Amino acid sequence: MSTASSVTSPADPMPVAPPDPVLPSGFRWGTATAAAQIEGAAETDGRGPSIWDIFATEPGRIRGGHTPAVACDHYHRSADDVRDLAQLGIDEYRFSISWSRVLPEGRGTVNQRGMDFYSRLVDELLTAGIRPVPTLYHWDLPQALQSAGGWLERSTSDALADYAAIMVDALGDRVHQWWTLNEMNVHTLYGHALTDHAPALGMGLDCMPVAHNLLRAHGLAVHAIRAAGDHHEVGVVQQHFPVHPASDSPEDVEAADLFRILTNWTFADPVLAGRYPDDFVAELVATSAGLTAGQLEDDLGVMSEPLDHYGVNYYEPTVIEAPKPGKDYSGILEVDFPADMPFSPVRIEGVERTDFDWPVVPSGLTEILRTLHERYPGLPPVTITENGCSYDDGPGPDGAVHDVRRIDYLRAHLTAVSEAIAAGVDVRGYYVWSAMDNFEWAAGYGERFGLVHVDFDTLQRTRKNSWYWYRDLIDRVRHSR
Ligand code: BGC
C-alpha cells in the first residue's frame, strides 16, 4: 500500500535551482564602488570640492536635487562596511580615491587627514583578507583643476600623473594593484560632449581633446606606478558594449560604425594598439588639441604602456540608426544626443528591463568579450570591473530584501562570462556593481545598484538576498574542482 507522503505530485514540482555558472575555482571575486558615490564627508577633514560637488549645487542637474555630500557616509563607516565585505567572502575590493580629498587643489600640498582615511581603509581591507584595488580617477576632478581648464588642458594629465605618484608612494607598501581611470568614454561623452554629467560642458565633438588628455593621463599614471617597482600591477577600467545597426541599410551601418568607433575603439585602440581607430578620429584629435603628427605619435606611445589587467565594465548593448527626420529619439538611452548628431539610438524591444529602464542582455557581455579578444591579440587578462543592475527593492514586512531580479541578472551575466572563457577569452575576475546602494550620478539616490540596501534617511544598511546568493556562489565556486 502506498502512502500519500511518498508521492510527489507532478503538478506541484519542487522548484529547481538554476545551475551555477561554470567558473574556475581560482576566479577572483569582488565588488566595486566609487568615492563620490559612497564616501560623503564632502567637506570633512580638509577635503576640497570636486566637479560633482559643484554640479550638484546647480538646479535641475540631479534628479530630486540630490547631492553627494553625505551619500552612504562610508567615510565614517568604512570599518563596518569592510566587515560586511569580509563576510561576503570577496577576494578583491575596487574602490576609488577622491583626488580632492588627498590634494584639495588637485596638485601641491597633500591633505594628510584625507590620505589617512585611505591608509586606514587599506589596512582594514588587508586585515579582512581582501586585496585593495583602488581606481585613481572615477570622474571626480578637483574643482580647482576644472577652474583651470579641466581635461581640456594637457597639464591636467601631468597633474594626474603627479597624484598617481603620490598615491603609490603613500600606499604602495600595501597596495600592489591599481586601476588608473574609470570609463574615459562615458566621462568624455556625458560630461564634456553632453551636459548630463559634471562638468557639463556640452561641446559635442569639439571635446575630443578631453579624450586625448584622459588617455594621456592614463599612460602617464601607468608610468608613475611602474616607476615604484615591478611588483605593482596596473590596468585601466573601460566601459564596453556591442553596437549594432538597426538595419542592414548602408546609412544605419555607417551610423553604427561611427558610434562604435567613437564610444569603444577611440578609447581602447590607443591603450591596446597604440593608435587611434582611424584617420578621421586621429585628425579630429590632432586638430582640436592642436597637436603635430609627431606629438600625436609620441602621445600614443605614452598611452599604450603595457598593462597587467584590462578592466571591462558592461551594462547594455546599443542599437543605432541614421537619424530619421522628425522622429523623436528622447528617452531611449539614459542620455539624449543633440539632433545634429549623425547617429541615433533605437529602443531594444523584446527583452527584460531594469528599473533604470536599461535592457537586460547578458549575451552582449559574451559578445563584447569575444570582440575584444579578436580585435586585440595582446589583450591582457580581463577583469569584469563592473556589472550590475538597478532594481528598487527594499526591505519587506519580514525585513528581508527579496531582490530576485538581481540574482537572475547576476547569474545570467556570470554565465555569459563563463561562455566567453569557454570561447578562449582570458577573464580572471568579476566585480559586482555595487557593494551598496549609492549616489547614482545624475539619477541621485533614485537608482539602487547595491548588494546591500541603504536607507538614505537613516543610513541603515540591510543585506539584500542577492548578497547572500553572491556569498554562497563564491563559496561554492571556490571549493569546486
Ligand atoms: C559607472 C558607475 C555607475 C554605473 C551605473 C558605470 O558607468 O562607472 O559609477 O554607477 O555605471 O550607472
Side-chain angles (χ1 to χ4, degrees), residues 92-136:
E92 301 178 356
Y93 173 56
R94 174 181 170 232
F95 59 98
S96 85
I97 295 161
S98 160
W99 185 344
S100 62
R101 194 179 290 291
V102 174
L103 291 163
E105 297 292 319
R107 39 167 78 95
T109 312
V110 169
N111 173 33
Q112 195 51 47
R113 287 176 298 168
M115 185 66 91
D116 289 346
F117 166 70
Y118 294 107
S119 187
R120 237 177 10 250
L121 177 62
V122 163
D123 286 342
E124 284 161 358
L125 288 164
L126 290 171
T127 304
I130 299 170
R131 183 176 173 90
V133 282
T135 308
L136 290 169

Short mmCIF file of all heavy atoms in Angstrom, two decimals, residues 92-136:
data_model
loop_
_atom_site.label_atom_id
_atom_site.label_comp_id
_atom_site.label_asym_id
_atom_site.label_seq_id
_atom_site.Cartn_x
_atom_site.Cartn_y
_atom_site.Cartn_z
N GLU A 92 38.72 40.67 -3.77
CA GLU A 92 39.23 42.00 -4.12
C GLU A 92 38.12 43.02 -3.95
O GLU A 92 36.95 42.71 -4.19
CB GLU A 92 39.69 42.03 -5.59
CG GLU A 92 40.77 41.02 -5.87
CD GLU A 92 41.22 40.98 -7.33
OE1 GLU A 92 40.63 41.68 -8.17
OE2 GLU A 92 42.17 40.23 -7.60
N TYR A 93 38.52 44.22 -3.58
CA TYR A 93 37.55 45.31 -3.48
C TYR A 93 38.06 46.49 -4.29
O TYR A 93 39.13 47.01 -4.03
CB TYR A 93 37.33 45.70 -2.02
CG TYR A 93 36.47 46.92 -1.82
CD1 TYR A 93 35.18 46.99 -2.34
CD2 TYR A 93 36.93 48.02 -1.08
CE1 TYR A 93 34.38 48.11 -2.15
CE2 TYR A 93 36.15 49.14 -0.88
CZ TYR A 93 34.87 49.18 -1.42
OH TYR A 93 34.09 50.30 -1.23
N ARG A 94 37.27 46.87 -5.29
CA ARG A 94 37.63 48.03 -6.12
C ARG A 94 36.91 49.27 -5.56
O ARG A 94 35.67 49.33 -5.59
CB ARG A 94 37.22 47.78 -7.58
CG ARG A 94 37.43 48.98 -8.46
CD ARG A 94 37.02 48.77 -9.92
NE ARG A 94 37.05 50.07 -10.56
CZ ARG A 94 36.06 50.62 -11.27
NH1 ARG A 94 34.95 49.95 -11.49
NH2 ARG A 94 36.17 51.82 -11.77
N PHE A 95 37.68 50.20 -5.02
CA PHE A 95 37.13 51.48 -4.56
C PHE A 95 37.89 52.56 -5.30
O PHE A 95 38.91 52.29 -5.93
CB PHE A 95 37.31 51.63 -3.05
CG PHE A 95 38.76 51.58 -2.60
CD1 PHE A 95 39.48 52.74 -2.35
CD2 PHE A 95 39.42 50.36 -2.45
CE1 PHE A 95 40.81 52.70 -1.95
CE2 PHE A 95 40.76 50.31 -2.07
CZ PHE A 95 41.45 51.47 -1.81
N SER A 96 37.41 53.81 -5.24
CA SER A 96 38.21 54.86 -5.87
C SER A 96 38.65 55.87 -4.84
O SER A 96 38.08 55.96 -3.74
CB SER A 96 37.46 55.51 -7.03
OG SER A 96 36.60 56.54 -6.57
N ILE A 97 39.69 56.57 -5.20
CA ILE A 97 40.26 57.60 -4.31
C ILE A 97 39.75 58.96 -4.78
O ILE A 97 39.77 59.26 -5.97
CB ILE A 97 41.79 57.53 -4.34
CG1 ILE A 97 42.24 56.19 -3.74
CG2 ILE A 97 42.42 58.70 -3.59
CD1 ILE A 97 43.64 55.78 -4.09
N SER A 98 39.27 59.74 -3.82
CA SER A 98 38.84 61.10 -4.13
C SER A 98 40.09 61.97 -4.22
O SER A 98 40.73 62.26 -3.20
CB SER A 98 37.89 61.59 -3.03
OG SER A 98 37.83 62.98 -3.04
N TRP A 99 40.41 62.36 -5.43
CA TRP A 99 41.63 63.16 -5.68
C TRP A 99 41.63 64.42 -4.80
O TRP A 99 42.65 64.77 -4.19
CB TRP A 99 41.63 63.50 -7.17
CG TRP A 99 42.78 64.20 -7.77
CD1 TRP A 99 43.79 64.87 -7.13
CD2 TRP A 99 43.06 64.34 -9.19
NE1 TRP A 99 44.66 65.41 -8.05
CE2 TRP A 99 44.23 65.10 -9.31
CE3 TRP A 99 42.41 63.89 -10.33
CZ2 TRP A 99 44.78 65.42 -10.57
CZ3 TRP A 99 42.95 64.21 -11.58
CH2 TRP A 99 44.13 64.96 -11.69
N SER A 100 40.46 65.08 -4.70
CA SER A 100 40.42 66.35 -3.95
C SER A 100 40.39 66.14 -2.43
O SER A 100 40.47 67.08 -1.67
CB SER A 100 39.23 67.20 -4.37
OG SER A 100 38.02 66.53 -4.08
N ARG A 101 40.27 64.88 -1.99
CA ARG A 101 40.42 64.62 -0.55
C ARG A 101 41.91 64.57 -0.20
O ARG A 101 42.32 64.99 0.88
CB ARG A 101 39.75 63.29 -0.18
CG ARG A 101 39.55 63.11 1.31
CD ARG A 101 38.88 61.81 1.68
NE ARG A 101 37.48 61.68 1.33
CZ ARG A 101 36.46 62.35 1.88
NH1 ARG A 101 36.69 63.24 2.82
NH2 ARG A 101 35.22 62.14 1.49
N VAL A 102 42.67 64.06 -1.14
CA VAL A 102 44.11 63.91 -0.91
C VAL A 102 44.86 65.20 -1.29
O VAL A 102 45.79 65.62 -0.61
CB VAL A 102 44.63 62.72 -1.74
CG1 VAL A 102 46.14 62.61 -1.65
CG2 VAL A 102 43.98 61.42 -1.29
N LEU A 103 44.43 65.79 -2.40
CA LEU A 103 45.04 67.04 -2.88
C LEU A 103 43.89 68.02 -3.13
O LEU A 103 43.33 68.07 -4.22
CB LEU A 103 45.81 66.79 -4.18
CG LEU A 103 47.08 65.94 -4.07
CD1 LEU A 103 47.51 65.42 -5.45
CD2 LEU A 103 48.21 66.75 -3.45
N PRO A 104 43.51 68.80 -2.12
CA PRO A 104 42.32 69.65 -2.26
C PRO A 104 42.38 70.59 -3.45
O PRO A 104 41.34 70.93 -4.01
CB PRO A 104 42.31 70.43 -0.93
CG PRO A 104 43.05 69.54 0.03
CD PRO A 104 44.09 68.83 -0.77
N GLU A 105 43.58 70.96 -3.85
CA GLU A 105 43.72 71.86 -5.01
C GLU A 105 44.06 71.07 -6.28
O GLU A 105 44.39 71.66 -7.31
CB GLU A 105 44.84 72.88 -4.75
CG GLU A 105 44.57 73.81 -3.58
CD GLU A 105 43.42 74.77 -3.88
OE1 GLU A 105 43.34 75.27 -5.02
OE2 GLU A 105 42.58 74.97 -2.99
N GLY A 106 44.09 69.76 -6.18
CA GLY A 106 44.44 68.94 -7.34
C GLY A 106 45.93 68.72 -7.50
O GLY A 106 46.36 67.74 -8.08
N ARG A 107 46.71 69.62 -7.02
CA ARG A 107 48.17 69.48 -7.02
C ARG A 107 48.68 70.23 -5.79
O ARG A 107 47.93 70.93 -5.13
CB ARG A 107 48.80 70.01 -8.31
CG ARG A 107 48.21 71.28 -8.88
CD ARG A 107 49.09 71.90 -9.95
NE ARG A 107 49.01 71.27 -11.24
CZ ARG A 107 48.21 71.66 -12.26
NH1 ARG A 107 47.38 72.67 -12.09
NH2 ARG A 107 48.23 71.05 -13.43
N GLY A 108 49.96 70.06 -5.50
CA GLY A 108 50.53 70.81 -4.37
C GLY A 108 50.54 70.02 -3.09
O GLY A 108 50.89 68.83 -3.09
N THR A 109 50.09 70.66 -2.02
CA THR A 109 50.25 70.06 -0.68
C THR A 109 49.24 68.94 -0.43
O THR A 109 48.04 69.09 -0.69
CB THR A 109 50.03 71.16 0.39
OG1 THR A 109 50.80 72.29 0.01
CG2 THR A 109 50.44 70.68 1.76
N VAL A 110 49.75 67.84 0.10
CA VAL A 110 48.89 66.70 0.45
C VAL A 110 48.10 67.02 1.72
O VAL A 110 48.65 67.55 2.69
CB VAL A 110 49.74 65.43 0.66
CG1 VAL A 110 48.92 64.32 1.27
CG2 VAL A 110 50.37 64.99 -0.65
N ASN A 111 46.81 66.68 1.68
CA ASN A 111 45.97 66.80 2.87
C ASN A 111 46.11 65.49 3.66
O ASN A 111 45.49 64.48 3.33
CB ASN A 111 44.51 67.03 2.43
CG ASN A 111 43.55 66.98 3.60
OD1 ASN A 111 43.90 67.36 4.72
ND2 ASN A 111 42.35 66.49 3.35
N GLN A 112 46.94 65.51 4.68
CA GLN A 112 47.30 64.28 5.37
C GLN A 112 46.09 63.56 5.97
O GLN A 112 46.01 62.33 5.95
CB GLN A 112 48.37 64.56 6.44
CG GLN A 112 49.07 63.31 6.96
CD GLN A 112 49.63 62.42 5.84
OE1 GLN A 112 50.29 62.91 4.90
NE2 GLN A 112 49.35 61.12 5.88
N ARG A 113 45.11 64.33 6.45
CA ARG A 113 43.94 63.67 7.06
C ARG A 113 43.15 62.89 6.00
O ARG A 113 42.61 61.83 6.27
CB ARG A 113 43.05 64.71 7.75
CG ARG A 113 43.67 65.23 9.05
CD ARG A 113 42.84 66.32 9.67
NE ARG A 113 42.75 67.48 8.78
CZ ARG A 113 41.92 68.50 8.94
NH1 ARG A 113 41.09 68.51 9.97
NH2 ARG A 113 41.90 69.52 8.11
N GLY A 114 43.10 63.44 4.80
CA GLY A 114 42.45 62.72 3.71
C GLY A 114 43.22 61.46 3.36
O GLY A 114 42.64 60.39 3.15
N MET A 115 44.53 61.59 3.30
CA MET A 115 45.37 60.43 2.98
C MET A 115 45.22 59.35 4.06
O MET A 115 45.17 58.15 3.76
CB MET A 115 46.83 60.88 2.86
CG MET A 115 47.75 59.79 2.42
SD MET A 115 47.40 59.26 0.72
CE MET A 115 48.48 60.37 -0.21
N ASP A 116 45.12 59.79 5.32
CA ASP A 116 44.99 58.82 6.42
C ASP A 116 43.75 57.96 6.26
O ASP A 116 43.74 56.78 6.64
CB ASP A 116 44.92 59.56 7.78
CG ASP A 116 46.26 60.17 8.15
OD1 ASP A 116 47.28 59.82 7.52
OD2 ASP A 116 46.29 61.02 9.07
N PHE A 117 42.69 58.56 5.71
CA PHE A 117 41.46 57.77 5.51
C PHE A 117 41.75 56.57 4.60
O PHE A 117 41.36 55.43 4.89
CB PHE A 117 40.35 58.64 4.91
CG PHE A 117 39.19 57.81 4.39
CD1 PHE A 117 38.35 57.14 5.27
CD2 PHE A 117 38.97 57.67 3.02
CE1 PHE A 117 37.30 56.35 4.79
CE2 PHE A 117 37.93 56.89 2.54
CZ PHE A 117 37.09 56.23 3.43
N TYR A 118 42.44 56.82 3.49
CA TYR A 118 42.70 55.71 2.55
C TYR A 118 43.69 54.71 3.14
O TYR A 118 43.59 53.51 2.90
CB TYR A 118 43.17 56.27 1.20
CG TYR A 118 42.06 57.04 0.55
CD1 TYR A 118 42.08 58.43 0.47
CD2 TYR A 118 40.92 56.38 0.09
CE1 TYR A 118 41.02 59.14 -0.07
CE2 TYR A 118 39.85 57.07 -0.44
CZ TYR A 118 39.90 58.46 -0.52
OH TYR A 118 38.83 59.14 -1.04
N SER A 119 44.61 55.23 3.91
CA SER A 119 45.58 54.34 4.54
C SER A 119 44.86 53.39 5.52
O SER A 119 45.12 52.19 5.56
CB SER A 119 46.62 55.20 5.27
OG SER A 119 47.63 54.40 5.75
N ARG A 120 43.93 53.97 6.26
CA ARG A 120 43.13 53.17 7.21
C ARG A 120 42.28 52.15 6.47
O ARG A 120 42.20 50.98 6.84
CB ARG A 120 42.21 54.12 7.98
CG ARG A 120 42.38 54.07 9.46
CD ARG A 120 41.54 55.05 10.25
NE ARG A 120 40.51 55.80 9.61
CZ ARG A 120 40.56 57.12 9.39
NH1 ARG A 120 41.63 57.82 9.74
NH2 ARG A 120 39.54 57.75 8.83
N LEU A 121 41.65 52.61 5.38
CA LEU A 121 40.79 51.71 4.60
C LEU A 121 41.59 50.52 4.07
O LEU A 121 41.15 49.36 4.16
CB LEU A 121 40.15 52.50 3.44
CG LEU A 121 39.28 51.72 2.46
CD1 LEU A 121 38.06 51.12 3.16
CD2 LEU A 121 38.82 52.62 1.30
N VAL A 122 42.77 50.82 3.56
CA VAL A 122 43.63 49.75 3.04
C VAL A 122 43.99 48.77 4.17
O VAL A 122 43.92 47.54 3.99
CB VAL A 122 44.90 50.37 2.40
CG1 VAL A 122 45.99 49.33 2.23
CG2 VAL A 122 44.54 51.02 1.07
N ASP A 123 44.32 49.29 5.33
CA ASP A 123 44.64 48.40 6.46
C ASP A 123 43.44 47.55 6.85
O ASP A 123 43.57 46.35 7.13
CB ASP A 123 45.10 49.23 7.67
CG ASP A 123 46.51 49.78 7.47
OD1 ASP A 123 47.24 49.26 6.59
OD2 ASP A 123 46.88 50.73 8.18
N GLU A 124 42.28 48.18 6.87
CA GLU A 124 41.06 47.43 7.23
C GLU A 124 40.82 46.29 6.23
O GLU A 124 40.49 45.16 6.62
CB GLU A 124 39.84 48.37 7.25
CG GLU A 124 39.80 49.27 8.47
CD GLU A 124 38.91 50.52 8.31
OE1 GLU A 124 38.33 50.72 7.22
OE2 GLU A 124 38.82 51.29 9.28
N LEU A 125 41.00 46.60 4.96
CA LEU A 125 40.79 45.57 3.93
C LEU A 125 41.79 44.44 4.07
O LEU A 125 41.44 43.26 4.03
CB LEU A 125 40.89 46.21 2.53
CG LEU A 125 39.71 47.11 2.14
CD1 LEU A 125 40.06 48.00 0.95
CD2 LEU A 125 38.46 46.27 1.83
N LEU A 126 43.05 44.80 4.25
CA LEU A 126 44.09 43.76 4.36
C LEU A 126 43.85 42.89 5.59
O LEU A 126 43.99 41.66 5.54
CB LEU A 126 45.47 44.39 4.39
CG LEU A 126 45.91 45.02 3.05
CD1 LEU A 126 47.20 45.81 3.22
CD2 LEU A 126 46.07 43.94 1.97
N THR A 127 43.46 43.52 6.68
CA THR A 127 43.18 42.75 7.90
C THR A 127 42.02 41.78 7.65
O THR A 127 41.98 40.67 8.19
CB THR A 127 42.82 43.71 9.06
OG1 THR A 127 43.89 44.62 9.21
CG2 THR A 127 42.58 42.97 10.36
N ALA A 128 41.09 42.20 6.80
CA ALA A 128 39.93 41.35 6.49
C ALA A 128 40.26 40.32 5.41
O ALA A 128 39.38 39.55 5.00
CB ALA A 128 38.77 42.23 6.03
N GLY A 129 41.49 40.33 4.92
CA GLY A 129 41.88 39.34 3.90
C GLY A 129 41.42 39.71 2.50
O GLY A 129 41.30 38.85 1.63
N ILE A 130 41.16 40.98 2.28
CA ILE A 130 40.67 41.45 0.96
C ILE A 130 41.76 42.29 0.30
O ILE A 130 42.35 43.17 0.94
CB ILE A 130 39.39 42.30 1.13
CG1 ILE A 130 38.29 41.47 1.76
CG2 ILE A 130 38.94 42.87 -0.21
CD1 ILE A 130 37.07 42.27 2.20
N ARG A 131 41.99 42.02 -0.98
CA ARG A 131 43.02 42.77 -1.72
C ARG A 131 42.45 44.14 -2.13
O ARG A 131 41.43 44.20 -2.84
CB ARG A 131 43.40 41.97 -2.96
CG ARG A 131 44.50 42.54 -3.83
CD ARG A 131 44.77 41.51 -4.93
NE ARG A 131 45.69 41.94 -5.95
CZ ARG A 131 47.02 41.76 -5.91
NH1 ARG A 131 47.58 41.18 -4.87
NH2 ARG A 131 47.77 42.16 -6.92
N PRO A 132 43.09 45.23 -1.70
CA PRO A 132 42.59 46.55 -2.13
C PRO A 132 43.04 46.85 -3.55
O PRO A 132 44.22 46.75 -3.87
CB PRO A 132 43.26 47.52 -1.14
CG PRO A 132 44.31 46.75 -0.41
CD PRO A 132 44.27 45.31 -0.83
N VAL A 133 42.10 47.21 -4.42
CA VAL A 133 42.44 47.55 -5.81
C VAL A 133 41.82 48.91 -6.15
O VAL A 133 40.72 48.99 -6.70
CB VAL A 133 42.02 46.45 -6.81
CG1 VAL A 133 43.00 45.30 -6.78
CG2 VAL A 133 40.64 45.91 -6.54
N PRO A 134 42.52 49.98 -5.79
CA PRO A 134 41.94 51.31 -5.98
C PRO A 134 41.94 51.78 -7.43
O PRO A 134 42.81 51.41 -8.21
CB PRO A 134 42.85 52.23 -5.14
CG PRO A 134 44.08 51.47 -4.85
CD PRO A 134 43.82 50.01 -5.11
N THR A 135 40.93 52.58 -7.75
CA THR A 135 40.90 53.34 -9.01
C THR A 135 41.35 54.75 -8.65
O THR A 135 40.82 55.36 -7.71
CB THR A 135 39.46 53.41 -9.56
OG1 THR A 135 38.92 52.09 -9.61
CG2 THR A 135 39.44 54.03 -10.95
N LEU A 136 42.29 55.28 -9.42
CA LEU A 136 42.78 56.62 -9.09
C LEU A 136 41.77 57.70 -9.45
O LEU A 136 41.66 58.71 -8.77
CB LEU A 136 44.10 56.88 -9.83
CG LEU A 136 45.30 56.08 -9.32
CD1 LEU A 136 46.47 56.21 -10.29
CD2 LEU A 136 45.69 56.55 -7.92
#
